[in-house]
Amino acid sequence: MLKIRKILRNINALFFSVYVRISSKYFLIKELLMEFEELKQKYEMVIGLEVHAQLKTKTKIFALDGAEFGHEPNSQTSPITLGMPGVLPVLNKAVVDMAILTGLALNCEIPSRCKFDRKQYFYPDLPKGYQISQYDEPICGKGSIKISNKTIGITRAHLEEDAGKLVHAGSAGIYGSSYSLVDLNRAGTPLLEIVSEPDMRTSDEAREYMEELRNILRYIGVCDGNLEEGSMRCDANISIRPKGQKEFGTRAEIKNVNSFKALQRAIEYEFERQIELVEDGKEVVQETRLWDDAKGITSSMRGKEDAHDYRYFPEPDLMPLEISREWVDRVKATMPELPAQKLKRYVDLGLSEYDAQVLVNQLEMALFFDKAVAQNVNPKTASNFIMGEIAAYLKEEKVSIEESKLSVENFVKLLKLLEKGTISNNIAKSLVIDILKTGEDADKLVEKKGLSVLSNPDEILPLVQKVVADNPEQVAAYKGGRDKLFGFFVGQVMKETKGRANPQLLNELLKKELEK
């Protein structure tokens, strides 16, 4: 027995020793983190974003080969795309229309003239050895985007052709080699590069700016905004400066950011990296860095080029483009409702600002909601169903509302049944899931399942009397002052009617019965 007690004392002592060591290290780590957070307060982040939006044209910017995503490698090419000798580019008018429309949506100046330039650089997926872009005379001048707490300036938006894509493959073999394949399907795809002013100061602002820009591009139909497929790509320019200093610090550009979450993580990492360099007495180098989402770090890719490194000169095969006010007005006339306008309209319809913003951020859901409300259903009820049961089902099944079997007409039928009191709210919530799966008509589904609301007192009263008779102890407690038990009786009757009892009528009958 004494031996066992000694062993237990030794075990307790060991655990205490380990606890003390872990605790001391925990508090040391916590103290260091607090010191670093205080250090971060000395500096201000300066963020500017360059967003490449792939325009949704059927063909490429200077050639007739297709611009759709997902085809077999190198099947969407032509002599113009491949840069064969003697070929000449021809500007796609649809590209210009989309660029003007985007500029107007971003409050940009649309100049009466723009031109194209050759941007010289050499890379395996750039077949011509240069890129046709715009330098000093872009199609869109200064503009702005409003986010929740400030306005972010737009420096410019210019047109250019995309490069191809390198597919890195292979594995280490006898000679330790791997290889890369070139897919030129993407080469020549029209891009609109939207460059912001360095007006953002937090990663939250950068994310909100990107989300609002994506919404605008999707609403006006010029880009699908798919970051994963690369049809919308973002490069972030990050620098730091002591708070209160006007001069900008040296910036680093972060590439390979393909989600909103990754954008925030990359910005925060780069902010801390640059602070560490400066505090250690080192200099931040102007360079391009790659974001590794798995490791959560940026790494140096190459020194950052300046404009003179690209040796820009006017594209000799394309004349400067004259843009008349009549052309701009024709494009402006096609402008749909923008996200900010839709948000205000939803709030005016009675939705909370939060609910309205959630709907606005999901274009397909917003369009579905608009079609339903146009058929005189209650906006708040429609919004609750779309953001609740419908959104949950779509997320679980990983389908869009367009891919589901729920039509606007059938959804409206269901809401009308609810508004008339034919079915209860709980039954409607259950039925909308059935309709999403099967597409069955709401009226027929209610009739087939016998789910219409019971509104006849002669049908409900016997069930009320049965529940009261079966629960004498709860009746006595209720009459003794436990008013909350009323909900218990309601639940029991609803259970008997499978949720079909008219709630208002049920409450009236139940109160009368309990007062006897």
Side-chain angles (χ1 to χ4, degrees), residues 40 53 68-69 87 112 122 143 181 232 240 242 280 283 343 392-393 398 425 434 440 450 453 514:
K40 285 167 69 174
E68 291 180 353
F69 177 83
V87 298
S112 58
F122 298 94
L181 302 173
M232 186 173 174
I240 64 169
D280 286 345
E283 291 186 355
L343 179 67
Y393 172 85
K398 297 179 181 176
N425 194 56
D434 290 338
E440 192 167 351
V453 168
L514 288 170

Short mmCIF file of all heavy atoms in Angstrom, two decimals, residues 40 53 68-69 87 112 122 143 181 232 240 242 280 283 343 392-393 398 425 434 440 450 453 514:
data_model
loop_
_atom_site.label_atom_id
_atom_site.label_comp_id
_atom_site.label_asym_id
_atom_site.label_seq_id
_atom_site.Cartn_x
_atom_site.Cartn_y
_atom_site.Cartn_z
N LYS A 40 2.93 45.94 -34.28
CA LYS A 40 2.15 46.13 -35.51
C LYS A 40 1.38 47.44 -35.50
O LYS A 40 1.10 48.03 -36.55
CB LYS A 40 1.19 44.95 -35.72
CG LYS A 40 1.87 43.68 -36.20
CD LYS A 40 0.98 42.47 -36.08
CE LYS A 40 -0.17 42.49 -37.04
NZ LYS A 40 -0.95 41.23 -37.00
N ALA A 53 -9.73 40.62 -65.08
CA ALA A 53 -11.05 40.02 -65.32
C ALA A 53 -11.12 39.52 -66.75
O ALA A 53 -10.93 40.28 -67.70
CB ALA A 53 -12.15 41.05 -65.07
N GLU A 68 -13.82 29.77 -74.67
CA GLU A 68 -14.46 29.06 -73.57
C GLU A 68 -13.44 28.27 -72.75
O GLU A 68 -12.44 27.79 -73.28
CB GLU A 68 -15.53 28.10 -74.09
CG GLU A 68 -16.74 28.82 -74.69
CD GLU A 68 -17.78 27.85 -75.21
OE1 GLU A 68 -17.49 26.63 -75.23
OE2 GLU A 68 -18.87 28.29 -75.59
N PHE A 69 -13.75 28.10 -71.47
CA PHE A 69 -12.88 27.36 -70.55
C PHE A 69 -13.19 25.86 -70.62
O PHE A 69 -14.33 25.46 -70.86
CB PHE A 69 -13.10 27.86 -69.12
CG PHE A 69 -12.31 27.14 -68.07
CD1 PHE A 69 -10.99 27.48 -67.82
CD2 PHE A 69 -12.88 26.12 -67.33
CE1 PHE A 69 -10.25 26.80 -66.86
CE2 PHE A 69 -12.16 25.43 -66.36
CZ PHE A 69 -10.84 25.79 -66.13
N VAL A 87 0.58 37.22 -89.87
CA VAL A 87 -0.82 37.34 -89.43
C VAL A 87 -1.05 38.72 -88.79
O VAL A 87 -0.13 39.34 -88.28
CB VAL A 87 -1.20 36.24 -88.42
CG1 VAL A 87 -1.08 34.87 -89.05
CG2 VAL A 87 -0.35 36.31 -87.15
N SER A 112 -12.07 59.75 -75.31
CA SER A 112 -12.53 59.67 -76.70
C SER A 112 -11.56 58.88 -77.58
O SER A 112 -11.88 58.57 -78.73
CB SER A 112 -12.71 61.08 -77.28
OG SER A 112 -11.49 61.80 -77.19
N PHE A 122 9.49 37.73 -72.31
CA PHE A 122 9.65 36.39 -72.88
C PHE A 122 9.30 35.34 -71.83
O PHE A 122 9.85 35.33 -70.74
CB PHE A 122 11.08 36.21 -73.39
CG PHE A 122 11.42 37.17 -74.48
CD1 PHE A 122 12.06 38.38 -74.18
CD2 PHE A 122 11.08 36.91 -75.80
CE1 PHE A 122 12.36 39.28 -75.18
CE2 PHE A 122 11.38 37.82 -76.80
CZ PHE A 122 12.02 39.00 -76.49
N GLY A 143 -11.67 56.18 -61.77
CA GLY A 143 -13.01 55.85 -61.33
C GLY A 143 -13.01 55.55 -59.84
O GLY A 143 -12.07 55.93 -59.12
N LEU A 181 4.29 21.42 -69.50
CA LEU A 181 3.59 21.43 -70.78
C LEU A 181 2.95 22.80 -71.00
O LEU A 181 2.55 23.47 -70.04
CB LEU A 181 2.51 20.35 -70.80
CG LEU A 181 3.00 18.91 -70.57
CD1 LEU A 181 1.81 17.97 -70.44
CD2 LEU A 181 3.91 18.46 -71.69
N MET A 232 -11.00 35.33 -62.97
CA MET A 232 -10.76 36.57 -62.25
C MET A 232 -9.55 36.34 -61.36
O MET A 232 -9.57 35.45 -60.51
CB MET A 232 -11.99 36.96 -61.43
CG MET A 232 -11.87 38.31 -60.74
SD MET A 232 -13.45 38.77 -59.96
CE MET A 232 -12.96 40.27 -59.12
N ILE A 240 4.44 48.95 -46.27
CA ILE A 240 4.17 49.45 -44.92
C ILE A 240 4.84 50.80 -44.75
O ILE A 240 5.78 51.15 -45.47
CB ILE A 240 4.67 48.47 -43.82
CG1 ILE A 240 6.20 48.34 -43.88
CG2 ILE A 240 3.98 47.14 -43.95
CD1 ILE A 240 6.78 47.61 -42.68
N PRO A 242 5.47 53.83 -41.24
CA PRO A 242 5.11 54.22 -39.87
C PRO A 242 3.85 55.08 -39.89
O PRO A 242 3.66 55.89 -40.80
CB PRO A 242 6.33 55.03 -39.41
CG PRO A 242 7.45 54.56 -40.26
CD PRO A 242 6.85 54.24 -41.59
N ASP A 280 14.28 44.61 -38.03
CA ASP A 280 15.63 44.00 -37.98
C ASP A 280 16.67 44.86 -38.70
O ASP A 280 17.82 44.45 -38.86
CB ASP A 280 15.60 42.61 -38.61
CG ASP A 280 14.92 41.59 -37.72
OD1 ASP A 280 14.73 41.88 -36.52
OD2 ASP A 280 14.57 40.50 -38.21
N GLU A 283 16.01 46.08 -45.45
CA GLU A 283 15.16 46.81 -46.39
C GLU A 283 14.17 45.86 -47.07
O GLU A 283 14.49 44.71 -47.36
CB GLU A 283 16.00 47.50 -47.46
CG GLU A 283 16.83 48.67 -46.93
CD GLU A 283 17.54 49.42 -48.06
OE1 GLU A 283 17.45 48.95 -49.22
OE2 GLU A 283 18.18 50.44 -47.78
N LEU A 343 -29.23 46.62 -53.55
CA LEU A 343 -29.19 46.61 -52.09
C LEU A 343 -30.17 47.63 -51.52
O LEU A 343 -30.96 47.31 -50.60
CB LEU A 343 -27.77 46.91 -51.60
CG LEU A 343 -27.56 46.96 -50.09
CD1 LEU A 343 -27.74 45.57 -49.48
CD2 LEU A 343 -26.17 47.48 -49.76
N ALA A 392 -29.56 26.26 -47.65
CA ALA A 392 -28.96 25.11 -46.95
C ALA A 392 -28.97 23.87 -47.83
O ALA A 392 -27.98 23.12 -47.89
CB ALA A 392 -29.72 24.85 -45.65
N TYR A 393 -30.07 23.64 -48.54
CA TYR A 393 -30.17 22.47 -49.43
C TYR A 393 -29.16 22.58 -50.58
O TYR A 393 -28.45 21.61 -50.89
CB TYR A 393 -31.59 22.37 -49.99
CG TYR A 393 -31.74 21.31 -51.07
CD1 TYR A 393 -31.97 19.98 -50.73
CD2 TYR A 393 -31.63 21.64 -52.42
CE1 TYR A 393 -32.08 19.00 -51.71
CE2 TYR A 393 -31.75 20.68 -53.40
CZ TYR A 393 -31.97 19.36 -53.04
OH TYR A 393 -32.08 18.40 -54.02
N LYS A 398 -24.47 20.85 -53.24
CA LYS A 398 -23.46 21.48 -54.10
C LYS A 398 -24.00 21.74 -55.51
O LYS A 398 -23.37 21.39 -56.52
CB LYS A 398 -22.19 20.61 -54.15
CG LYS A 398 -21.52 20.47 -52.80
CD LYS A 398 -20.28 19.59 -52.85
CE LYS A 398 -19.66 19.47 -51.48
NZ LYS A 398 -18.50 18.56 -51.44
N ASN A 425 -46.33 27.31 -41.75
CA ASN A 425 -44.94 27.67 -42.08
C ASN A 425 -44.02 26.45 -42.03
O ASN A 425 -43.18 26.26 -42.91
CB ASN A 425 -44.45 28.74 -41.10
CG ASN A 425 -43.16 29.39 -41.58
OD1 ASN A 425 -43.09 29.92 -42.68
ND2 ASN A 425 -42.14 29.36 -40.75
N ASP A 434 -38.85 19.12 -50.67
CA ASP A 434 -39.38 18.10 -51.61
C ASP A 434 -39.40 18.63 -53.03
O ASP A 434 -39.04 17.92 -53.98
CB ASP A 434 -40.80 17.69 -51.20
CG ASP A 434 -40.83 16.89 -49.90
OD1 ASP A 434 -39.78 16.31 -49.56
OD2 ASP A 434 -41.88 16.87 -49.24
N GLU A 440 -42.03 18.67 -58.10
CA GLU A 440 -43.48 18.40 -58.11
C GLU A 440 -44.26 19.67 -57.81
O GLU A 440 -43.86 20.51 -57.00
CB GLU A 440 -43.81 17.31 -57.09
CG GLU A 440 -45.21 16.76 -57.23
CD GLU A 440 -45.43 15.49 -56.42
OE1 GLU A 440 -44.44 14.95 -55.89
OE2 GLU A 440 -46.58 15.04 -56.33
N GLY A 450 -52.00 15.36 -48.08
CA GLY A 450 -53.03 15.75 -47.10
C GLY A 450 -52.48 16.69 -46.06
O GLY A 450 -52.67 16.49 -44.86
N VAL A 453 -53.92 22.98 -43.90
CA VAL A 453 -54.12 23.37 -42.50
C VAL A 453 -55.54 23.05 -42.05
O VAL A 453 -56.51 23.27 -42.79
CB VAL A 453 -53.83 24.88 -42.33
CG1 VAL A 453 -54.31 25.37 -40.97
CG2 VAL A 453 -52.35 25.15 -42.48
N LEU A 514 -58.44 25.26 -21.10
CA LEU A 514 -57.63 25.28 -19.88
C LEU A 514 -58.25 26.17 -18.80
O LEU A 514 -57.93 26.04 -17.62
CB LEU A 514 -56.21 25.75 -20.19
CG LEU A 514 -55.32 24.77 -20.96
CD1 LEU A 514 -54.04 25.43 -21.42
CD2 LEU A 514 -55.01 23.54 -20.09
#
